[in-house]
Amino acid sequence: MKLTFWGATRQVTGSMYLLELDDEFKILIDCGRNMGREVDYTQPVTNKAFFPFEASQVNLVLLTHAHIDHSGNIPMLYREGYEGQVLCTSATADLTSLLLYDAANLNLKKVKQAEGDSNKKKKKMDRLLIKGDLYLQKDVEDAMANFVTLQFHRRFRIADNAWVTFIPAGHLLGAAHIIVEVQENGVMKSICFSGDIGRKDYPLHIDPSSEIPEVDYLLCETTYGGRLHEDKKTPEDALAEIIQRTCIDIPGRLIIPAFSIGRTQALLYTLNRLYSEKGFKPIKVFSDSPLAYASTKVYQKNLKQLNKEARDFQEENDSLFDFENLQYIQSEKSSKAISNYAEPCIIISASGMISGGRVEQHIAANINNVYCTILLVGYSSEGTLGWRLMNGQKSLKIKDVEYQVLANVEKIDIFSGHGDQADLLNFVKKQSPKKLKKVFLIHGEEESMNTFKDLLENEGFANIEIPEMGQEYIL
Ligand SMILES: [Zn+2]
């Protein structure tokens, strides 16, 4: 069989791997959006396919988890003629549906804006649609109609000679490592696709499974392959300390850019615990993202898949996320009105990397305010506003306006959903260096991949590959 790396190669986003069995059965593992991909409007219109392979020839899609950099291009597959199923866990299907419809709505907004605008812009948008770079609601409907859900730990036959098993990966509700087993020429070969690897004791999410079968080939994510998480405090203590300093000791305002799915729920749940168990002063909290609101409902619905602490908390308090002074914001008008709220408050809004979304507006409105603190709680891709703030830039351009950064910028990594270097090492060490034929490092920046590769070699693992985009391996 042949494995081709079509994304998240020497970068973090755009996960997509094509596994072609000897009998030509083709399996696509994840189909994520490359977040750094800019559309080049200057290029002439072409009918070039969106994918570097024939979408209609793929037989099956396996999805590790809902995050858009793993699921975001699935509707494009259907647009380009794919007719098969997408296998994932039920919680992943629920969350992916929210994310993809949200993305389609954003696309529709762009199209509408362009239609009402100058002819030049309309042409650009036509070009995008012709090239197939944008998908709309119909494509998402086609995709979601073909999602088939599997439980964790069930070995499921996907072809005469191939099986899959989903194993809990922590990281996000429903997230899985995927084990693919293939029998060819009388030999059974196995591959583990790590997806994103979570961390222990994360708010709400179960711990990554400690039981990973020994496989022949391992694809391991390396988002934090180069470093250890620094925070040793609990999430409650870390958040309490910052809120005390930024909203209670001074009449300030705390803005937390956060992904709508996963990160926002972890923050709201932690605030709920702080307020209800520790008697913390209930500062006003705005959760400004309709997608986050919808996701909290999915979390609430999938209680059984959350960790024990969360289930116990639910039992005692009847809700994971609703607490005094929490306000979910739906309309754009209400979002803008937050600027007029004069009391200290916490604003949690997307996108997490500050690359679009309502949080951009909040940052623009407060970046000159010395009483404002922007708290970065997750990974930001190079070039995003989150990344610029993280790297201490003193001025920022937001929607073509240049702003001086007078607000305080802080970061904590206790809410990062990814395991750090030690967690990743533990994950690989579940494998036997003797059985393992190759380790492929994916989903990380090149520097952290190289650091992690050295570490693995010191631990006795050989044949570690850092694939390039489009690189093929015969397994
Ligand atoms: Zn993820």
Side-chain angles (χ1 to χ4, degrees):
M1 60 185 152
K2 184 169 82 178
L3 179 63
T4 312
F5 292 80
W6 284 125
T9 51
R10 306 183 183 206
Q11 66 172 45
V12 169
T13 65
S15 287
M16 187 162 67
Y17 316 100
L18 184 66
L19 184 66
E20 297 169 78
L21 310 192
D22 287 351
D23 61 5
E24 304 210 331
F25 191 82
K26 293 182 180 62
I27 307 167
L28 192 67
I29 297 91
D30 285 350
C31 186
R33 191 194 299 164
N34 178 351
M35 307 309 271
R37 182 172 181 268
E38 294 277 341
V39 177
D40 187 353
Y41 293 114
T42 61
Q43 289 300 309
V45 174
T46 66
N47 286 321
K48 199 169 157 284
F50 183 80
F51 294 100
F53 47 82
E54 187 62 53
S56 63
Q57 298 297 309
V58 174
N59 297 91
L60 184 68
V61 175
L62 305 176
L63 178 60
T64 58
H65 66 291
H67 279 146
I68 206 86
D69 62 319
H70 293 255
S71 70
N73 285 338
I74 288 175
M76 298 304 299
L77 269 185
Y78 286 89
R79 226 186 135 132
E80 296 219 334
Y82 176 60
E83 291 180 337
Q85 297 176 331
V86 177
L87 289 191
C88 63
T89 64
S90 61
T92 293
D94 287 348
L95 291 176
T96 303
S97 169
L98 292 180
L99 273 165
L100 296 183
Y101 279 114
D102 185 66
N105 280 339
L106 276 178
N107 289 343
L108 181 65
K109 224 181 197 176
K110 283 185 203 165
V111 174
K112 279 187 176 164
Q113 266 170 8
E115 278 174 354
D117 228 319
S118 69
N119 263 344
K120 211 172 152 196
K121 276 195 181 167
K122 166 105 170 57
K123 263 189 191 161
K124 281 181 183 176
M125 201 49 66
D126 287 345
R127 187 173 297 167
L128 274 177
L129 283 168
I130 291 167
K131 282 169 76 177
D133 280 12
L134 288 182
Y135 54 81
L136 300 174
Q137 187 162 344
K138 166 77 173 65
D139 306 301
V140 180
E141 281 167 12
D142 289 346
M144 292 316 304
N146 286 291
F147 271 54
V148 174
T149 63
L150 282 186
Q151 289 185 24
F152 285 121
H153 301 297
R154 294 278 168 88
R155 188 168 181 262
F156 185 77
R157 191 174 209 141
I158 51 171
D160 285 346
N161 59 339
W163 295 260
V164 291
T165 311
F166 286 67
I167 294 177
H171 180 65
L172 181 70
L173 180 68
H177 309 303
I178 298 180
I179 312 288
V180 178
E181 295 166 275
V182 179
Q183 188 157 33
E184 282 179 345
N185 306 318
V187 181
M188 187 70 101
K189 295 171 196 167
S190 54
I191 312 165
C192 173
F193 295 86
S194 74
D196 287 356
I197 301 169
R199 52 201 295 199
K200 275 186 160 182
D201 303 324
Y202 192 84
L204 300 171
H205 299 153
I206 48 175
D207 288 348
S209 176
S210 55
E211 286 168 32
I212 313 284
E214 290 188 357
V215 292
D216 299 299
Y217 301 96
L218 177 66
L219 278 74
C220 181
E221 70 116 328
T222 49
T223 316
Y224 287 108
R227 68 176 187 84
L228 296 167
H229 290 317
E230 288 159 11
D231 284 319
K232 298 291 173 244
K233 295 178 193 138
T234 63
E236 285 98 35
D237 288 348
L239 209 50
E241 190 265 321
I242 287 166
I243 296 170
Q244 181 72 40
R245 229 169 354 93
T246 60
C247 294
I248 298 175
D249 293 348
I250 58 166
R253 167 175 277 225
L254 180 63
I255 299 177
I256 312 180
F259 294 121
S260 300
I261 290 188
R263 200 70 45 83
T264 296
Q265 287 71 39
L267 287 162
L268 293 178
Y269 167 69
T270 304
L271 284 167
N272 197 2
R273 289 180 68 96
L274 264 185
Y275 292 171
S276 61
E277 289 180 346
K278 307 216 168 167
F280 207 77
K281 186 181 169 186
I283 302 284
K284 181 82 178 171
V285 177
F286 296 103
S287 174
D288 184 14
S289 155
L291 181 58
Y293 179 67
S295 318
T296 57
K297 301 237 179 264
V298 174
Y299 268 71
Q300 202 70 60
K301 175 186 147 195
N302 286 278
L303 279 174
K304 278 189 190 153
Q305 292 192 40
L306 300 178
N307 63 29
K308 185 172 181 314
E309 183 196 67
R311 280 181 276 128
D312 289 349
F313 185 85
Q314 164 74 26
E315 189 105 315
E316 277 169 40
N317 298 275
D318 277 341
S319 169
L320 294 171
F321 306 111
D322 287 332
F323 52 87
E324 189 192 338
N325 268 339
L326 167 64
Q327 189 177 343
Y328 290 106
I329 301 291
Q330 295 288 352
S331 71
E332 301 232 1
K333 199 174 156 205
S334 312
S335 171
K336 290 199 175 109
I338 296 175
S339 294
N340 303 326
Y341 187 79
E343 300 293 314
C345 65
I346 301 168
I347 304 168
I348 302 171
S349 187
S351 75
M353 299 186 190
I354 326 178
S355 53
R358 290 181 181 178
V359 76
E360 255 186 28
Q361 193 52 44
H362 296 303
I363 301 275
N366 291 282
I367 201 156
N368 289 321
N369 177 358
V370 292
Y371 286 100
C372 172
T373 300
I374 300 164
L375 179 64
L376 303 170
V377 293
Y379 176 85
S380 288
S381 285
E382 198 170 331
T384 57
L385 289 180
W387 182 84
R388 289 175 210 280
L389 284 172
M390 184 97 72
N391 284 284
Q393 280 198 6
K394 291 288 169 230
S395 69
L396 280 190
K397 206 178 217 177
I398 306 174
K399 293 207 167 86
D400 295 330
V401 182
E402 194 79 29
Y403 295 89
Q404 291 301 306
V405 181
L406 299 178
N408 306 298
V409 178
E410 296 197 24
K411 53 186 172 187
I412 51 173
D413 54 23
I414 197 78
F415 288 98
S416 161
H418 288 268
D420 66 4
Q421 190 186 61
D423 297 317
L424 298 180
L425 185 60
N426 278 336
F427 176 75
V428 179
K429 280 170 84 173
K430 303 252 162 46
Q431 301 296 324
S432 137
K434 273 189 190 154
K435 179 173 165 67
L436 200 59
K437 295 189 180 74
K438 265 192 199 340
V439 182
F440 300 101
L441 302 185
I442 45 156
H443 199 291
E445 281 161 10
E446 206 163 341
E447 203 182 323
S448 76
M449 289 183 167
N450 286 325
T451 308
F452 194 56
K453 182 176 187 236
D454 291 345
L455 191 67
L456 289 181
E457 282 170 347
N458 287 338
E459 294 283 339
F461 288 93
N463 297 322
I464 300 158
E465 300 279 338
I466 301 182
E468 286 184 39
M469 183 69 151
Q471 201 162 343
E472 300 174 351
Y473 293 84
I474 301 297
L475 309 183

